[in-house]
Amino acid sequence: MLNHEDNELLCRVGPGTPGGEMMRRFWHPACTSAQLPEPDCPPLRVRLLGENYVAFRDSSGQVGFLEELCMHRGASLALGRVEEGGIRCLYHGWKFSAAGAVLETPNHADTKYAARLKAPAFPVREEGGVVWAYVGPKHLEPAFSRYAFMDVEPSHRVVLRINVGCNYLQLVEGGEDSSHVGVLHTNMARPGWKDDSFTRNPDVTNPAALASNDLEPTLKIEDTAFGFHYVALRKTNTPRVQNARVVPFIVPYGRIIPAPAFQFTVLEVPADDTHTSTFLVIHGNEPVNEDRIIELLGLDNPNYYNRQSCTFTASWADSFGQDRALMKENWTGLRGVEVEDAAIGLSQGPLYDRSREHLVPADQAVTRVRRILLEAVKRAGEGGPLRALGLDLRGVGACDSELEEGSRWQELLPSHRETPVA
Ligand code: FES
Ligand SMILES: [Fe+2]
């Protein structure tokens, strides 16, 4: 369990909160590149760490990221016109560049006045099909961390965003929790469960397709420069051989999940205390089909996912569409990896209080997430250096392999040992 005070420290991310100050030390995904598809396209309202921003792509293709409310008298720039190298407020026509220069103030045409002002604009990077923003203190801006998915050609990568109405830590903990995979995702993880037989799911794109029927994995954890990595060891039918699934946790909310053909990088970005933007990047050595991935996740059903707004729309209003008649054959009565994960995260409530839970050894990675984030909150409060800032994460990944007795699991991904700075 986590006492109420620590739970609050980790879950609250607004401005001025200790958790929010920690989060503001990192670069964050703000939106996907596809949400700003072309120069001068409609701007996008972005909620990040409890504050509102506007993202826009100017006439040259450069992305700008400004406070949402116009610096003149506070109209939303998300209603504005994006044209001729900037975004123009509808109310009195003030116009701002992506870098925050005040280009025009039509109701006070003195150019010297505009030249003295600077709009609240934030550093932006566009990498790997994602627009990243830094909204923390200027003097603490870290180097930009690089991930492996940023280096592959765009056809070998799919970027999805899923807005889910619960606190980010619930979704992070689901991702660092190997023992739920063989249960919550039973139908994909252990086909044949009904007859107590086990055949491996042959779908090489499915990260829930386990190689073992063992529901009680043994976890081993080791801290790293980026956070930690852990292995879930499961029994196999071969003597002296275990199945080993290694998953990294990248401070403050990242993970990578293995499927035979692809790696799933998942970033649970807090929109505010009770909303999360899940950024999911699937990449590999061959082309990735977006429709196929959406189907695998269960997001091809419009009752669950609005592709336009990137929102997970199912709720208690219809019991998440759970089909109880189906549950004779289907463990959850739901369909798809993300549908099952998001429904569980939402079922814990908007912000789960962990002071009443009962943990077991299979929850060790969840406990480590909390410990490492509490340590980060403390260090941020002291103004000290944080783990995982400005790293070259291109050697960080996940794997699902066999491990012979006596072999070290850490050798499955030796690049985790030395993570260079960016
Ligand atoms: S409020 Fe934006 S120009 Fe006046
Ligand atoms: Fe899951």
Side-chain angles (χ1 to χ4, degrees), residues 174-175 177 180-181 184-185 337 340-341:
D177 169 21
H180 90 275
V181 179
L184 177 64
H185 306 305
V337 188
E340 290 174 338
D341 283 331

Side-chain angles (χ1 to χ4, degrees), residues 377-412:
V377 171
K378 183 163 172 279
R379 283 205 202 167
E382 295 161 352
L386 301 188
R387 214 187 277 264
L389 278 179
L391 293 182
D392 182 346
L393 299 165
R394 288 177 295 176
V396 180
C399 76
D400 184 327
S401 0
E402 295 198 325
L403 188 71
E404 290 194 24
E405 204 175 277
S407 308
R408 277 169 50 79
W409 65 271
Q410 291 92 336
E411 295 310 319
L412 294 171

